[in-house]
Amino acid sequence: MYRRDLITAEIEKLAQVLARIIGLKQDGDFVASDELLQQTLASSFGLKPETLYASEPDAFGLWLEQSDWPAEKLDMLGQFLFNEIDPNGEPLANKLLATRLVLVYQTLASKHHTVHLANLKRQDSIQQYL
């Protein structure tokens, strides 16, 4: 029970950070939103930019496998990555993020047996993008 409360509190904190990132983007402050995203990925997930944007998806897949996050936290990571994909942005960065996002969704489905309807819709749009 105590562990569940800690996870819930952490997810709530991450949701607030995600809302702040989205707000910064809507205000046009892309530099601050990117800095906050990179800080959050590093501090909350232990995910470094060189792992996220590595040209080989194996580095991210290995990190994902070793991290052993609970389903709720992995779902939150998926939300962060999905909101970072910009259809008008750099195609290579978007493609890298999209492939990482597919790995997150596959891990949620295969390891945690968790599938959300929102994630299914996101997967469809990601597959169309790829």
Side-chain angles (χ1 to χ4, degrees):
M1 183 71 172
Y2 182 70
R3 183 174 189 267
R4 176 63 57 194
D5 290 342
L6 287 175
I7 292 172
T8 301
E10 185 176 6
I11 298 304
E12 287 174 2
K13 182 183 93 173
L14 288 170
Q16 291 172 353
V17 172
L18 181 60
R20 199 169 336 136
I21 290 170
I22 292 170
L24 287 169
K25 282 184 176 184
Q26 288 176 344
D27 291 342
D29 195 352
F30 299 106
V31 172
S33 71
D34 189 50
E35 287 176 6
L36 183 56
L37 174 71
Q38 296 307 323
Q39 288 173 355
T40 304
L41 291 177
S43 64
S44 296
F45 296 98
L47 180 58
K48 298 176 184 174
E50 53 269 15
T51 303
L52 180 61
Y53 294 105
S55 58
E56 307 240 345
D58 294 342
F60 182 79
L62 182 64
W63 171 85
L64 191 59
E65 189 176 304
Q66 292 174 345
S67 64
D68 197 34
W69 299 114
E72 299 88 352
K73 193 161 181 176
L74 265 183
D75 185 52
M76 201 67 202
L77 175 63
Q79 290 181 40
F80 274 93
L81 296 181
F82 184 79
N83 284 302
E84 193 58 23
I85 295 175
D86 179 11
N88 300 321
E90 183 183 335
L92 179 61
N94 283 337
K95 186 173 181 176
L96 288 173
L97 287 171
T99 57
R100 282 20 173 210
L101 190 55
V102 167
L103 287 173
V104 169
Y105 291 145
Q106 287 174 347
T107 303
L108 277 168
S110 65
K111 186 175 181 180
H112 297 284
H113 308 290
T114 302
V115 178
H116 297 289
L117 291 176
N119 290 350
L120 288 174
K121 183 171 172 71
R122 290 176 183 167
Q123 283 179 351
D124 288 342
S125 62
I126 295 292
Q127 291 300 335
Q128 290 175 359
Y129 183 81
L130 292 174

